[in-house]
Amino acid sequence: MSIDEDTRWLEWVTKQFESIAGDDKEIDLDEFKTALKVKESFFAERFFALFDSDGSSSISLDELLEALDLLIHGSETDKLRFLFQVYDVDGSGSIDPDELRTVLKSCLRESAISLPEEKLDDLTLALFESADQDNSGSITFEELKAELENFPEVMENLTISAANWLKPPDLEQKKSKTPRYLTRAYWHNNSRKLFFLCLYALLNVLLFIIAMLKNAHEGLWFMVAKGCGQCLNLNCTFVMVLMLRRCLTWLRATWVVRVFPLDQNILLHQIVGYAILIFTIGHTGTHVMNFARMSQNDGMYQLWEYLFTIRPGIGWVNGTASITGMVLQVLICLMVVCSSTFVRRSGHFEVFYWSHLSYVWVWALLIVHCANFWKWFVAPGLMFLIEKLVGIAVSRIGGLYIVEVNLLPSKVTHLVIKRPPFFHFKPGDYVYINIPVIAKYEWHPFTISSAPEQQDTLWLHVRSMGQWTNRLYEYFRQPESQTISNKRLTASLRNRRHESRMQNEMFKSASCNNTVASNKDDAVELTLYRTSGTHTNSQKPVSDPVAQAELGDASPDTRELTAKLSENHRYCSIKCYVDGPFGTPTRQIFASEHAVLIGAGIGITPFASILQSIMCRYRMRKQNCPNCNYSWCETIKDNEMKLRKVDFIWINRDQKSFEWFVSLLTKLEMDQADEEPEGRFLEMHMYMTSALSKNDMKAIGLQMALDLLAKKEKRDSITGLRTRTQPGRPDWAKVFQKVSEEKKGKVHVFYCGSPALAKVIKAQCEHFGFNFYKENF
């Protein structure tokens, strides 16, 4: 850094020190722990001891600056020396196995990783044996340095990530950049949405101007009110068109999807909703001003009579225009407020749900309020009515039952539903489900997480985030209160035997007859790393029909459980209704050449279905040499699937979240046990955000040990997959740069997860020229 930058940095560090230190201008151990925000006191105590050069049990500003100078301005050797001193707990000048185990155990706690003691021993031995080159029984500084040189990504930047107050501020002046919305890439990647919004805005402007000109003789306030009213005629019907899910699903298979942004119908619905609010306020406000002018000029009626009575006779139905207008204003404002993100995402989805049902009253009042609204409403209203009737018919045809339930980590409820024979869907589609025993009148949307090739059952994975989803989880978490069937053990035995048969046939499918596991070790691997206490095979068991018959005397909506296999896994027969399926942007995946699937947390659910379907089609293409064990996959593109490469990226906060789909992912890895001539068709990338990055001093040893043990066992210690789980968050620039360099064809990025991360990924996609699709309901 330059002299000016050093001066500014020194001033900043001094200010930060004063904010932490007490009146004595010294930082003690407790203050140091608080400032460092470490989860494990071991590292705080070790860092404190090394910073406290005079052994006074407190750190002065000079001692802090001296330590910072070493960590920030020091050479790699200086930083490595500091790291070695952290690991050398007894200060003997070497690291023995017990010291290394203590450090790694603290690293695990710091990264929120839970492993058995035996696995910790394996990690310790893997790192120690690799670093102890002379087999002396201890690791010297030179040996540690040599070992770290095998991990160049660690050497790039040794930091203490938790100590944000110790980090120097970014002294580089931010370069002036062109606003994202003005870049050529943004306009290219959002051309359909921008084209549609321009048409939409132009149509509203034209309607507004025409309505004003027709009423030019009535005065300015009345002209503006009529202009807003005409725009409301359009928007109050168009907002309905954007939610015709069946029509939009059908249109996704036509040329219309290439011209209009059908995949962003929810965003457009929100935009139109806000436009309705603005036009409503404008319409009401200008009418109030006009009534105020009329009450002053003619004196026949007071302002309140114009607004709240039918005496002036305004309106085509008994002079009710003013009263219905005021009610409409209240209802529309209420709907907009209750549909805000802070309401829907704060666990109060029911508030949004029930307030939004007032759209029926809004349309009824609009017909009474405006003489011409019915002309705008009749065609869209008829389409809406037909779609609703079809939805009711589809959801009520046949008896659907939840036949199996798994309670997974992070309060995720895995529902297995008996699939009706007429139910056809595509990977990534979603349905609305109603479970009367949870809430009789509520319908909620969830992505189907099973593959279309699976004929017998549907999978839904429900994350407990609101009132309804929490009630669902708690309902199945409660112990059985009674036994309905007198032959419960018989039914249980039949179910277990049926499950055993399904497991034996789990690698066989009607449309995918090729062998999946290439050797017995793969089958053992799948068994070893199944989620404890859950049933997550890629093929789902169907309840035995005899066992179903034994439940015939129970109420159809509240049939109790026939067998409880474990605390978190049970068979059941609970009535439910399903409306759908409905299409999503992920339907585009099979038309792309290089697909990048990004799921954050429970956002993996649409990709669970997609990955299973992709790999099923992949297996259909797989060829085996009759003379040897070599196998390969044909790369010929067809109308069904043009994919040449799939990158799957799953980002989770903690270790347990990976257990949701660990069996499925293990099976997908087994499908690719053989290397392909052009590289793997499917590559998986796992990221755990709670784990500290590889270049953090509190995680270097752990990440090195995990790498070494993964190479030795050919299995990740965190998930049990062959794919190594990466700590921290992805560097999207590097990820997409690598994807771009592979040159497998046009790249399409599909994302499902938090909106905040979606913005980051979308910006990177625009930079690299990738098409971006966000999963939305």
Side-chain angles (χ1 to χ4, degrees), residues 489-605:
L489 292 179
T490 303
S492 174
L493 180 60
R494 285 179 177 142
N495 279 328
R496 289 171 183 267
R497 288 176 175 174
H498 185 80
E499 180 188 18
S500 178
R501 291 197 303 270
M502 293 302 296
Q503 288 179 352
N504 292 333
E505 298 176 1
M506 64 179 296
F507 300 130
K508 300 177 183 179
S509 174
S511 58
C512 305
N513 297 321
N514 297 69
T515 301
V516 176
S518 60
N519 53 57
K520 294 181 179 179
D521 291 338
D522 287 336
V524 173
E525 179 180 337
L526 177 62
T527 305
L528 287 174
Y529 285 93
R530 282 183 56 189
T531 305
S532 176
T534 62
H535 179 79
T536 51
N537 286 338
S538 61
Q539 297 286 348
K540 281 69 69 178
V542 184
S543 294
D544 189 13
V546 178
Q548 294 282 356
E550 291 172 350
L551 294 173
D553 296 333
S555 171
D557 286 350
T558 58
R559 298 189 192 184
E560 279 297 335
L561 309 176
T562 64
K564 183 175 181 181
L565 304 184
S566 70
E567 183 180 352
N568 296 323
H569 175 213
R570 58 180 67 177
Y571 289 116
C572 60
S573 185
I574 296 177
K575 186 78 172 180
C576 68
Y577 301 98
V578 172
D579 184 17
F582 303 109
T584 64
T586 51
R587 285 194 170 192
Q588 301 284 338
I589 188 171
F590 294 105
S592 58
E593 294 178 308
H594 190 167
V596 180
L597 314 179
I598 305 174
I602 197 64
I604 189 184
T605 48

Side-chain angles (χ1 to χ4, degrees), residues 2 5 14 19 42 105 188 217 245 250 288 319 331-332 373 491 496 544 583 666 677 696 703 720 766:
S2 64
E5 290 174 340
T14 303
S19 67
F42 169 82
K105 189 172 184 178
H188 174 74
H217 60 284
R245 296 184 182 89
W250 174 76
V288 171
L331 286 177
I332 290 172
F373 179 73
R496 289 171 183 267
D544 189 13
T666 304
D696 190 293
Q703 295 303 329
E766 291 168 1

